[in-house]
Amino acid sequence: MKWFLLFLVTLGIGLAKASSNYNHYRLPTALRPQKYDLSILTRLENPKDLRFSGSVRIVIKALQNTKNITLHSRDLAIDESQITLRQLSGERNSDNCVNSTEVNPTHDFYILNTCQELLAGHAYELNLIFSAKLNRQLEGYYRSSYLDPEANETRWISITQFEPASARLAFPCFDEPGYKAPFVITLGYHKKFTGLSNMPAKETKPHEYLTEYIWTEFQESLPMPTYLVAYSVNDFSHKPSTLPNGPVFRTWARPNAIDQCDYAAEFGPKVLQYYEQLFGIRFPLPKVDQIAVPDFNAGAMENWGLVTYRETALLYSDAVSSLEDKQHLSNVVAHELAHQWFGNLVTMKWWTDLWLNEGFATYVASLGVENIHSEWRSMQLESLSNLLTIFRKDSLESSHPISRPIEMVSQVFESFDAISYEKGSSVLRMMHLFLGEESFRSGLKSYLERYAYKNAEQDNLWESLTQDAHKNGALPKNFDIKTIMDSWTLQTGYPVITVTRDYTTRTANLSQERYLLNTDISRVHRGGCWWVPLSYTTQQEKDFNNTFPKAWMECSQSGESLPTTIQDLPDPNHWVIFNNQLSSPYKVNYDAQNWKLLIETLNSEQFQSIHVVNRAQLVDDVLYFAWTGEQDYEIALRVINYLQGERQLLPWRSAFDHLTHLGRIIRPTPNFQFFKRFIKKLIAPIYEDMNGINDTYTSIQKQDDILLKTTVATWACSYHVSDCVAQALAYFRNWRSEANPDEKNPVPIDVRSPVYCAAIKHGSDGDWEFLYERYLKSNVASEKLTIMDALACSREVWLLQRSLEMVFDPRADVRKHDSAWAFQSVAYNEVGFLLAKKYFMDNVDTIYKFYYPLSKTMSRLLPPLYEQVSNRREYNEFKDFVASSQESLKGMDQAIQQTLEIMLTNVQWKERNYHSFTGAIKQILKVPVRQ
Ligand code: BES
Ligand code: ZN
C-alpha cells in the first residue's frame, strides 16, 4: 500500500528520485520546526470511503547549512506537484524549491532535496499537500464507530492517537519528542459534526466549495511535540464541569452514554486543581476536553487539552460499575492530567527517558487520587501493587534499566512497560520519602519551571532536586541525587538485602546482591550495587511511620557495595524489620532467629503491631525466598498461615499474588487437592467474617474493604469455600428470572464478577446464552468486560472454543482493543489453557496480521501462556515454536525473551520445589485452625 501510493504520486509529477546515504534512526539535526499550520478535511459520510486530506505549512529554521529537508511520513500520499519551499528571512528573496524526493521506509523518512542550499540562521516555509484513508489500526488518524440504538445504524467518528510515533501517519512532520513547536490546527468537516482539537475553536467559516461543510480554526497552541497533537470529528454529546476558577472542562461520549460522564466530569477538574496547588504552576491552557473513544488501543492518552480515553477508563455508571471500576477510572484520569505537567509542559528529550513521563504520571496520579478520595486509602494500595509488579518483572535477567537506549519504534513501544511505569513510580516514591515533602516539592517545582515548554533528561531532574535538597538540608552535602538515583535508573533489577544479626553485640551486617528468579544464574553474575536508604524499626520501637533513612548502603567509585553495619539493635528476643512501609524497592532476608521472632508476632494477637504494608512485605519476601530456595516452604507457609487472622487487604494482595502463581503450576498435578484444602483453611475465616457474598455494603465498614470482599469472594467461589457457590447460583437464578434483566439485576455490584463466573462454571448452556445476551445488550463498557470474562469460566470445550474464535473474528461483537483481554480470560481457565495455547501456536500468522502493526498489543496474549507452562517438554516445545515463528513474532522481542525466561523459572520451580512445597502444605494443614 505504502509503495503503491508513493509510486503513484511520483509518477504524477516526475520529480527526480535520488538516493541518500543517511540511514540513522534519528532525524538529522540541521533543521528545527518553528511552527506548524495544519489543515485537515475529514470525510465521514461514506462508510465505504472514510478518508482525509490535508495541507501543512511548516516554518523551519536552519541551524546548519543543508541541501535537504528530512521529515517523517508514513502511508501518506503526498502530492509532489504541489510542494513549495521559500525562504522567509534574510536577503535572498528568490524562492527555493524541491528538485527530488526520497523515502527511507526503515525509518519512515521523507526526504526533500532542495534546489538551493538552506542556510544556517535562516527560516523557510515548506508547504505539503497530502491525503490518506482513515485507517482501522487504532493509531495515526483513524476511524472508530458505535451503534446508534434508536436508528439501529453505525455511526462513524474520527480520532487521533499519535504517541509514540504515529503523527507521521497523519501529516508529514518532525516526529520526535525534542522538536516542540506551536500548532495552528484547522479542521474541515460536515456541519452536522463537532470538531475538537487541543485548543479552543477560534473561528468557523463555510468551506469554499463543499456545501454543508465548514472549517473550524483553533487557537494557536503552546509549543508541543507532535505526539501530543490531537483532533477528532464526531457527533458526541458532552457534559460540562462546574468547578469554578479553572479552565473550561468538558467530558465527551457517544450520545447514548452521556449519562455515564458525571463522575469523570466531577473528578477531572478537582484533580487538575489539586495539581496546580501541588506543583505551584497553573494549568496553562484555556480548556480541557476529555473524550471516551469506542475503539482505543491504550487505556488513555494525555494529548494537551484533548485527553482521549477508552470507554472503560472514563465512563462510570452508578447502577453497574464497581468500586474497582471507579478507582480505575479515577486513577487513569489522574494519570493523564498529571501528564499535563510531566510530559506536556516538560517533555523528555528522547524516548530513553520515557519514564520521566510515565513514572511521574503514575506516581503523581496516586497522590492525586489519595488527595481526593482519602477514604479509599489508595496510595498504600497503589504503592504496594506497583512494587509487587516490579518485584516480579524486574527479577528477570531479560529485564532492562528504567533509562535505556532506544533505536527503533518497536523499542519505544516496548518501553511503555512496568519498568517505566511501576518501577519509575516506585523510585520516585522512594525519593519523595527520603527527601521529605518540602524538598521534593520545591525540587520538582524548580525542575518544571526551568524546563517548561522545553525538553529535559533525567540529569536535569537530579540537578534541580540536589540543589533544593542541599538548600533545605534534606540531603547530606556529600550526597547527590544523581549518584543515588543513577544506581536505580541505569541498572537493571533491584537488590535483596541480607541482614545478619549478631545477637551478642546487638549489631547487624548488611550485604546486597541483585535478586534474580532464575536460580541457574550463579552468584558471580548477580553483581550490581544500589544506594539503598535504610529505614528500620524494632519490636520495642515499632515506629513504622518514620520512613526517613537512618543509614544508607553505599557504593564505591568502582561500583562495589561498601560494608554496612547497623548498631544498637535490640536484644535477641526482639525482631527488627527493614524498609518501613516498603519505602524503597528492595527485598530483605533475615537470619533464622529474626524470622522466628517475626513469625511468632505474626501468629499472635499482636500481629497488627507490624505495619500493614510491612505485613504485606513479609508475606511477599518470604514467598519469593522460598521460590528461589533461600528459605524453606515450611517457614514461608508458617508466615502466611497468620492470614487466617488478617482482615486487611494489603497482606492478602501479596499472598494472592503468589498463590495465584503457585496455583497455576500445581493445578494440573495430583497434589492440587492439598493446595485446595490449604486455601480453604486460609480464607474460610475471613469469608465468614465479611458475611460471605451477601449484599456488599451493609457488612462493610470501610470503603476500601469492598475490594477485599471482591477478592475474597473470587477465591472463595473458585475454591468452594462455605456457601459461596450455592449463594452465587441463587443470585444468578434470581437474575435470570427477572422479567427485564437488563434493567434489574439483583446481584450485588461488587461481587458480580465472581457470581457470574461461578454461575457459568457450574451452570448450563442456557445460563451461558443468557449471559451472552446481556453482553450484547449492555451499554456500559466495563460491564461488557466483566461479562466477557465470566463467559470464559465455562468448562465446556465447545463454549470456550466459541469464545476463542470470537476474539479474532472481525464480525463478532468483540472490539479489537478488548481482544487480548478476551483471549486471556479463556486462556487462564484450566480447560481453556490448552485450547488457547494450541490456538495461538496454530494461528500465529493470522494473529500477527490481525494485530499488525500493534505487535505490542499482541504480546498481551502471552501472560496466560507463560504463567501456566511448567514442564520441560512444554517449555522446549514453545522454544521451538518461537524459533520457527520469527516472522510472526516481530516487534515482540522483549516479551518473547521474558516469556521464555518465566517458563524456565516455572520449570525450575517444579523440578526443585514441587515435593517440598506439597510436603510443607501437608504439614501446615495439621496446625489447628486459629480461633
Ligand atoms: N501516554 C500513555 C498512552 C500510551 C501508552 C501511548 C502506550 C502510547 C503507547 C498514557 O498516559 C498512559 O500511560 N496510559 C495508560 C493508562 C494509565 C492510567 C496507566 C495505558 O494506556 O495503559
Ligand atoms: Zn501515561
Side-chain angles (χ1 to χ4, degrees), residues 74-269:
R74 197 169 91 213
D75 294 352
L76 289 174
I78 297 177
D79 184 347
E80 297 195 334
S81 67
Q82 301 208 50
I83 298 176
T84 64
L85 175 67
R86 71 187 179 100
Q87 183 173 319
L88 287 178
S89 59
E91 285 146 28
R92 233 172 21 158
N93 288 325
S94 70
D95 278 359
N96 205 330
C97 60
V98 171
N99 57 23
S100 66
T101 63
E102 299 162 54
V103 290
N104 176 333
T106 316
H107 302 304
D108 301 330
F109 289 156
Y110 183 67
I111 304 161
L112 304 113
N113 296 309
T114 58
C115 303
Q116 293 156 43
E117 192 166 46
L118 308 185
L119 300 176
H122 291 284
Y124 298 85
E125 178 190 295
L126 174 69
N127 279 287
L128 297 166
I129 309 275
F130 53 90
S131 61
K133 280 197 163 153
L134 281 170
N135 72 64
R136 300 165 191 272
Q137 62 201 38
L138 311 179
E139 58 176 19
Y141 191 32
Y142 71 93
R143 62 180 79 187
S144 173
S145 67
Y146 66 93
L147 186 73
D148 173 350
E150 266 153 44
N152 198 25
E153 276 173 17
T154 302
R155 303 270 178 241
W156 294 93
I157 71 151
S158 68
I159 186 77
T160 52
Q161 169 57 40
F162 289 168
E163 194 183 17
S166 295
R168 64 190 69 175
L169 284 159
F171 62 98
C173 56
F174 294 82
D175 200 9
E176 289 187 0
Y179 290 118
K180 287 189 170 190
F183 281 79
V184 175
I185 293 172
T186 305
L187 296 179
Y189 48 88
H190 191 285
K191 67 177 186 211
K192 70 181 176 194
F193 291 112
T194 307
L196 295 174
S197 184
N198 305 81
M199 298 297 290
K202 189 169 141 196
E203 64 170 308
T204 297
K205 58 180 188 212
H207 192 276
E208 312 80 51
Y209 54 88
L210 287 173
T211 48
E212 310 280 284
Y213 266 66
I214 50 172
W215 286 112
T216 299
E217 183 184 329
F218 297 88
Q219 289 176 23
E220 179 170 333
S221 79
L222 294 165
M224 62 179 181
T226 46
Y227 81 84
L228 289 176
V229 171
Y231 38 91
S232 168
V233 174
N234 62 66
D235 59 357
F236 281 7
S237 306
H238 74 274
K239 166 110 200 161
S241 299
T242 51
L243 195 72
N245 303 327
V248 171
F249 211 113
R250 299 178 297 185
T251 303
W252 298 79
R254 58 192 159 83
N256 197 34
I258 193 66
D259 57 333
Q260 298 172 40
C261 289
D262 293 0
Y263 178 70
E266 183 198 320
F267 181 80

Side-chain angles (χ1 to χ4, degrees), residues 655-686:
F656 283 141
D657 199 55
H658 285 266
L659 294 169
T660 305
H661 282 97
L662 290 163
R664 287 193 179 130
I665 295 180
I666 206 160
R667 192 160 64 178
T669 73
N671 283 336
F672 187 50
Q673 53 171 324
F674 303 108
F675 185 77
K676 278 206 283 200
R677 278 171 51 198
F678 175 60
I679 298 287
K680 278 190 187 178
K681 182 176 168 189
L682 214 54
I683 61 178
I686 187 168

